Amino acid sequence: MSILPKKNELGFYEIRLESIGGLGANLAGKMLAEAGVLGLGLNGSNFSSYGSEKKGSPVKSFVRFCEPDTEIRVHSPIEEPHVVGVFHEALYKMVDVVSGLRPDGILLVNSTRDFDDIKKDLHLMHGTLAIVDALSIAVEEKTKVNTAMLGALYRIIDFLDPEAMKKVIRKTFEKKYPHLVEPNIRTFERGYNDVQFKTYAPAEGAQGKEFKRPMPLLGYETQEIGGVITAQANSILKDLSGSRQGFLPQFNQQECINCAACDTACPDYCFVWEEGEDKRGRKQMFLKGIDYQYCKGCLKCVEACPTTALSELREMIGYAEENQVKHNYPYVTGGIS
């Protein structure tokens, strides 16, 4: 008798993990596949897809399970998963994380928000939505988000054995990082116990979320002569807020001495300055605030600040939008001809 609750036409149960670099989705996929293969005797495969290995860039990790008598001869990315795990909820700004999810599929999101808000933002029509505050668990246990997400995944994928994953966690950390074994076990257990569910029943004949493969806007037939950058300063149109890993710098203007140490350390030109006069009437540049559109949450500015003007803050929904000080780019907005 099969222990897999569902299978696609090829006999696979498929899981796709959506994340950004630095949250450990690649390792989570490896550990998940290893626990299913060694712990349950299933056939399984895992691989990841990402660009440059750096924090903040989109990452996908794929896991396939099937019965022991079924061979895995497919190594293409998973387009119609049964389960999607979203390690960073703001990722939907850059990636269609629910693309291809089946109508009865399960979506797990690392978030503190309520179900209906997430459903609206991700354009989820039906299926089971699961939420776990993996970031808070990881911060409190001094571990990473991936272990808490694994715990939640083991709760929603009920054929998996949690004890098998605990063995994999011990095997993964005990040689190089023995001091991290117990914190990661606790993180896994808290993710398993804290996850919450809500099911949106699909209507009769409902279709899954259609998978759309992202295609480049310019190719060998459509690229203009001279290169691919078609607009000057096109990077200023990008929103890097989806790259933050849960923290951002908080600015306290009363404590700022306008030394520009933060601006020197910032890799993305996030700080907004304005010209003014000091108490003696001398011209000086004063820090006005932070344009969070370009802030990736690296917190290098907090480390560089010699005062308490900049501090680390756990990102809250709406905080960046309410406290953002926008840059003025007149050439882009049409203010200068």
Side-chain angles (χ1 to χ4, degrees):
M1 180 178 177
S2 173
I3 65 171
L4 296 175
K6 302 168 188 174
K7 301 176 188 176
N8 62 14
E9 59 277 5
L10 297 177
F12 301 136
Y13 186 91
E14 298 183 325
I15 303 165
R16 188 174 73 219
L17 305 181
E18 301 273 4
S19 183
I20 60 174
L23 296 183
N26 185 26
L27 178 60
K30 291 178 181 178
M31 295 170 68
L32 184 58
E34 184 177 342
V37 172
L38 300 181
L40 298 174
L42 296 168
N43 273 353
S45 69
N46 158 254
F47 58 98
S48 297
S49 173
Y50 48 85
S52 56
E53 294 191 57
K54 61 181 180 181
K55 289 184 177 181
S57 57
V59 172
K60 296 180 187 288
S61 184
F62 308 103
V63 179
R64 283 189 173 95
F65 289 123
C66 61
E67 301 299 331
D69 56 353
T70 302
E71 293 187 23
I72 299 179
R73 296 182 177 180
V74 177
H75 302 286
S76 59
I78 292 173
E79 297 183 349
E80 296 183 347
H82 296 92
V83 177
V84 173
V86 182
F87 283 49
H88 183 25
E89 66 172 325
L91 190 60
Y92 74 89
K93 296 180 180 180
M94 299 186 288
V95 179
D96 185 3
V97 294
V98 296
S99 179
L101 183 65
R102 295 173 180 269
D104 58 347
I106 304 173
L107 175 66
L108 171 66
V109 182
N110 169 24
S111 178
T112 58
R113 294 193 294 161
D114 61 37
F115 293 96
D116 292 339
D117 284 346
I118 295 175
K119 177 177 180 289
K120 180 181 178 181
D121 280 349
L122 299 186
H123 304 291
L124 183 69
M125 302 303 296
H126 33 245
T128 298
L129 177 58
I131 298 175
V132 65
D133 187 6
L135 180 59
S136 290
I137 296 173
V139 170
E140 291 169 10
E141 298 291 348
K142 295 183 172 60
T143 55
K144 280 195 172 185
V145 165
N146 57 352
T147 318
M149 290 293 288
L150 280 172
L153 283 167
Y154 265 69
R155 180 75 175 275
I156 64 178
I157 308 175
D158 52 11
F159 68 86
L160 295 174
D161 180 13
E163 296 304 318
M165 177 50 74
K166 291 179 184 179
K167 291 180 181 178
V168 172
I169 291 174
R170 293 186 183 279
K171 179 181 175 182
T172 302
F173 293 102
E174 63 185 357
K175 288 187 178 179
K176 286 189 176 181
Y177 312 103
H179 61 288
L180 293 179
V181 172
E182 292 307 319
N184 275 281
I185 294 291
R186 290 196 302 270
T187 302
F188 176 82
E189 291 175 342
R190 289 183 62 181
Y192 184 91
N193 293 322
D194 291 357
V195 66
Q196 297 179 320
F197 312 85
K198 185 173 183 179
T199 299
Y200 299 90
E204 186 175 348
Q207 299 294 317
K209 182 83 172 178
E210 181 183 0
F211 179 81
K212 293 182 180 179
R213 185 177 290 109
M215 303 296 291
L217 297 178
L218 300 176
Y220 72 95
E221 291 183 340
T222 56
Q223 177 177 316
E224 295 186 14
I225 295 175
V228 297
I229 298 179
T230 59
Q232 293 181 344
N234 64 338
S235 63
I236 69 173
L237 303 177
K238 295 180 180 178
D239 184 354
L240 301 181
S241 61
S243 302
R244 292 195 286 268
Q245 298 186 31
F247 296 90
L248 47 67
Q250 182 181 29
F251 178 50
N252 180 358
Q253 197 164 34
Q254 302 299 321
E255 300 292 328
C256 183
I257 59 175
N258 303 296
C259 66
C262 54
D263 203 29
T264 304
C266 178
D268 292 297
Y269 196 51
C270 299
F271 293 92
V272 182
W273 298 81
E274 64 179 354
E275 187 176 336
E277 294 183 354
D278 63 14
K279 295 179 180 179
R280 296 182 180 180
R282 296 172 300 186
K283 287 188 176 182
Q284 184 178 332
M285 297 301 291
F286 293 89
L287 181 57
K288 190 176 179 181
I290 303 173
D291 192 342
Y292 287 109
Q293 176 181 342
Y294 309 108
C295 177
K296 296 184 294 189
C298 68
L299 302 179
K300 291 180 180 178
C301 57
V302 177
E303 297 175 9
C305 182
T307 69
T308 57
L310 290 170
S311 57
E312 178 182 304
L313 176 70
R314 167 75 187 270
E315 186 170 7
M316 299 171 285
I317 299 299
Y319 177 87
E321 290 75 14
E322 293 171 3
N323 295 275
Q324 180 181 23
V325 176
K326 294 289 292 182
H327 275 295
N328 180 28
Y329 294 122
Y331 283 103
V332 176
T333 57
I336 295 179
S337 58

